Amino acid sequence: MENKPLWTITGVLEWTKQYFANKGIENPRLDAEILLCAVLKCERINLYVRFDQPLEDEELALYRGYVARRANQEPLAYILGEKAFMKHSFKVTPAVLVPRPETELLVESVAKAAAGSGAAALLDIGTGSGAIIVSLLDLLPQALGTAVDISAAALQVAGENAAAIGVAERLTLLESDLFSKLPAGQSFDIIVSNPPYIPAADIAELAADVQKEPHGALDGGTDGLDFYKRIISGCSVWLKPDGLLAFEVGIHQAQEVCALCREAGLTATAVRNDYAAIERMVFATREGTYYANHLLEITS
Ligand code: GLN
């Protein structure tokens, strides 16, 4: 009779929870469950229903590989190859930032703004996985999107997400350092961006798994504000006079970003908080526009 220990679902989860906890993983039990579900192709509830089921050797081998990667601080989303955002699951690779829940609030606000104004032309700067623009086009069937990124590998992912979610025919993807490759003469009703905003010196202090994300998507220069300054200065050319600029910002940056917008003539500004009550989004437009008259609604 074979004498090797039988790894049941419960046994494996208990072991992994402890192992992850020792490695400093923030949600050890949850991550263990999510990875095991990926192996067993089931929902988390099934782990509880099938708690005493032993794992097959191939399942264990696959699971061990995932556990080793997570213990090495690889973000869960890279191991799974996907991340839920708004209504869909987005493909993610190490070439793109993992979409964050707070960024859904940015999408929600921009969608509300666009639906109210009838905005047709949207630009997403630094699109990464495409989570923002693809979600917006999904929510706004009349809208047309342009998404730029300096990373060809990111644009590849964004294109796949756009196709999977059925908005590819309304999205133009462009490999471009901010506005540099946009066709002259074009302008946008709404420019949205979640640019890199971490002050360069703070990158080394980020959680170990965040540091595995592309530094080009995180590093916002000395004060973290480099990209806001460059994007705001481009708005005189690329944002329609009655358009809206919508940013995600880093902690403690909202007021400074508002001030930069006002200096550039986008004098009607508003801030929206994230789930942790941190000032996380900045909206800016000229006085008298539809957006200026609806800032409260857009940001709540
Ligand atoms: N939200 C990311 C973080 O968790 C930063 C993303 C960015 O720089 N835009 O730190």
Side-chain angles (χ1 to χ4, degrees):
M1 210 177 99
E2 238 185 312
N3 205 9
K4 64 180 177 185
L6 211 53
W7 281 107
T8 62
I9 286 180
T10 300
V12 152
L13 288 175
E14 276 304 309
W15 186 91
T16 313
K17 182 182 91 176
Q18 203 50 55
Y19 183 64
F20 280 170
N22 294 341
K23 296 281 180 184
I25 303 291
E26 202 177 335
N27 299 303
R29 171 78 191 201
L30 180 61
D31 286 10
E33 290 185 8
I34 291 171
L35 290 173
L36 191 53
C37 286
V39 169
L40 300 177
K41 298 187 174 49
C42 70
E43 303 288 326
R44 279 173 54 219
I45 179 75
N46 297 109
L47 300 178
Y48 289 88
V49 177
R50 293 156 53 182
F51 68 98
D52 57 353
Q53 175 186 315
L55 297 186
E56 309 283 344
D57 287 348
E58 313 81 73
E59 292 168 344
L60 259 183
L62 186 57
Y63 183 68
R64 279 209 183 91
Y66 288 173
V67 167
R69 289 170 66 183
R70 186 67 189 114
N72 190 33
Q73 306 293 340
E74 191 168 337
L76 200 56
Y78 292 161
I79 302 171
L80 302 172
E82 62 180 19
K83 176 74 184 178
F85 184 85
M86 302 296 292
K87 292 194 289 171
H88 299 281
S89 177
F90 282 78
K91 172 177 173 164
V92 293
T93 73
V96 303
L97 192 83
V98 177
R100 306 288 204 269
E102 56 269 31
T103 308
E104 294 180 332
L105 298 173
L106 178 67
V107 169
E108 183 189 276
S109 281
V110 172
K112 207 188 276 184
S117 69
L122 316 179
L123 171 64
D124 177 18
I125 298 180
T127 196
S129 66
I132 294 174
I133 193 71
V134 169
S135 296
L136 285 170
L137 294 178
D138 184 42
L139 292 167
L140 301 162
Q142 313 304 324
L144 297 175
T146 300
V148 298
D149 205 292
I150 198 167
S151 158
L155 288 168
Q156 169 73 30
V157 176
E160 287 179 42
N161 283 319
I165 292 162
V167 302
E169 63 287 350
R170 288 185 288 126
L171 178 61
T172 304
L173 293 166
L174 211 54
E175 187 178 334
S176 173
D177 182 11
L178 308 189
F179 306 101
S180 62
K181 296 281 164 54
L182 285 173
Q186 218 176 342
S187 61
F188 298 91
D189 297 303
I190 298 180
I191 296 177
V192 62
S193 185
N194 172 16
Y197 57 60
I198 309 290
D202 295 354
I203 302 263
E205 313 293 321
L206 296 173
D209 51 2
V210 179
Q211 292 196 47
K212 302 253 176 184
E213 295 185 77
H215 288 198
L218 296 170
D219 188 342
T222 308
D223 58 3
L225 300 177
D226 283 9
F227 291 93
Y228 301 110
K229 292 171 187 163
R230 291 176 59 196
I231 292 170
I232 291 165
S233 80
C235 280
S236 57
V237 175
W238 302 103
L239 184 66
K240 290 183 183 169
D242 60 353
L244 174 72
L245 177 60
F247 282 131
E248 179 170 322
V249 299
I251 189 162
H252 306 318
Q253 292 175 335
Q255 297 308 327
E256 245 172 305
V257 172
C258 282
L260 290 167
C261 290
R262 287 194 294 266
E263 279 166 33
L266 302 170
T267 49
T269 62
V271 170
R272 183 174 180 189
N273 291 358
D274 67 15
Y275 301 107
I278 293 167
E279 294 188 326
R280 183 59 70 190
M281 289 147 273
V282 165
F283 302 86
T285 182
R286 291 178 193 284
E287 301 293 342
T289 65
Y290 168 87
Y291 304 112
N293 297 329
H294 293 83
L295 274 178
L296 198 63
E297 193 184 316
I298 290 166
T299 54
S300 57

